[in-house]
Amino acid sequence: MLKKRIIVCLDVKDGRTTKGVKFLNNVDIGDPVEMAAEYYRQGVDELVFYDIIASARGRGPILDLISRVASQVFIPFCVGGGIGTVDDIRSTILAGAEKISLNSKAVQNPQLISEGARIFGNQCIVLGMDAKKDETMPSGYRVYINGGRIATELDAREWAIQAVKLGAGEIVLNSMDADGTRAGYELNLTRMISDAVSVPVVASGGGGTVAHMRDVLSDGENGGHADAALIASMVHSGDYTIGGIKKDLAKDGVPVRLV
């Protein structure tokens, strides 16, 4: 049985790790290089680094900071934010990232997914998707871009399927409604996307307890069917450690790589 992955997300703004609720009221919580090193020591399976204002400001990735984070961790490291060209993908990988997350830029230029996959491999190209409830959409969820600031005409399920056809090798699915609330992942959304595509789906937004993670990682009828759970506030707050989370998940029967 494939192990379920625990991924820590570092949202970065102006070179510092930040955290908000539903994409608002972000506060500074620390140095991303130091935090990455600490989560690596704790046994996290992967790290995701998002520059949350790069696309909105129209600039590329912060390569120096990416390089410094990559020097501290020896696990898969995914970077997103401001990556809009094949050259941006190449330079970010050369700076130390194993995976590239395309979100706003993929919506604006879907061929960037296929070009990236063709040159660097599907395993390197991750679709980042911010979805919010909207009853007017076929799936009930609309895709947003630019850090949740701009609504698109894309349906979440249809966009996920299209992105995988273009070459995305993984999807990080963020529920905007649950983001930062620590009230639980949006299981219906996660299950719908997981069941619609053949690539791994990472659940993001709302993780607050080990029970929430167990539910979203569950392959049962009411579970989220996710391949990995992304967390931020749970560990940034100091309420949980990666090792403690994994031990509790293992006790609940979730297959994880124990530290």
Side-chain angles (χ1 to χ4, degrees):
M1 183 181 291
L2 285 175
K3 303 287 189 187
K4 302 286 189 174
R5 290 171 289 144
I6 309 303
I7 302 173
V8 168
C9 178
L10 302 175
D11 284 335
V12 177
K13 178 181 179 183
D14 297 325
R16 300 283 294 177
T17 307
T18 183
K19 196 72 193 87
V21 177
K22 297 185 180 181
F23 287 54
L24 299 171
N25 303 318
N26 286 75
V27 294
D28 184 315
I29 57 172
D31 177 76
V33 180
E34 294 174 359
M35 293 174 73
E38 173 58 26
Y39 293 133
Y40 174 67
R41 282 193 294 271
Q42 289 186 22
V44 72
D45 296 308
E46 296 186 24
L47 274 175
V48 173
F49 172 113
Y50 288 135
D51 187 327
I52 62 170
I53 56 175
S55 290
R57 289 185 177 174
R59 62 160 171 75
I62 310 173
L63 299 176
D64 174 63
L65 184 57
I66 293 165
S67 179
R68 286 192 288 129
V69 171
S71 72
Q72 299 297 311
V73 300
F74 303 93
I75 51 175
F77 174 40
C78 180
V79 173
I83 299 171
T85 67
V86 168
D87 284 343
D88 286 340
I89 296 175
R90 181 179 289 107
S91 59
T92 303
I93 290 173
L94 290 173
E98 280 82 17
K99 300 179 184 180
I100 302 302
S101 179
L102 302 174
N103 188 321
S104 304
K105 300 294 186 182
V107 170
Q108 294 158 353
N109 177 20
Q111 289 309 307
L112 185 60
I113 298 174
S114 49
E115 278 291 287
R118 181 179 64 81
I119 296 169
F120 304 103
N122 302 67
Q123 78 286 349
C124 288
I125 306 301
V126 177
L127 177 73
M129 186 198 305
D130 295 317
K132 190 174 185 180
K133 286 179 183 174
D134 187 331
E135 293 179 359
T136 67
M137 302 305 285
S139 70
Y141 295 88
R142 183 184 295 272
V143 175
Y144 282 69
I145 60 171
N146 281 45
R149 297 173 184 87
I150 298 176
T152 75
E153 293 306 310
L154 292 173
D155 174 75
R157 185 176 184 276
E158 291 174 3
W159 176 226
I161 292 169
Q162 182 187 350
V164 171
K165 286 180 180 176
L166 287 167
E170 184 170 79
I171 295 174
V172 174
L173 173 65
N174 187 52
S175 164
M176 291 179 61
D177 299 294
D179 182 78
T181 64
R182 299 181 69 175
Y185 296 90
E186 196 156 346
L187 299 179
N188 290 333
L189 171 64
T190 309
R191 182 169 56 247
M192 176 181 65
I193 301 298
S194 295
D195 292 350
V197 298
S198 57
V199 301
V201 172
V202 180
S204 172
T209 68
V210 175
H212 293 156
M213 298 175 70
R214 178 198 65 213
D215 291 344
V216 84
L217 293 170
S218 168
D219 295 325
E221 182 180 348
N222 297 315
H225 301 185
D227 298 272
L230 186 146
I231 53 176
S233 304
M234 281 179 69
V235 286
H236 295 342
S237 65
D239 294 342
Y240 293 88
T241 64
I242 302 297
I245 288 169
K246 287 188 169 185
K247 285 178 184 174
D248 287 344
L249 286 172
K251 286 178 187 173
D252 285 344
V254 178
V256 292
R257 182 182 65 85
L258 291 172
V259 180

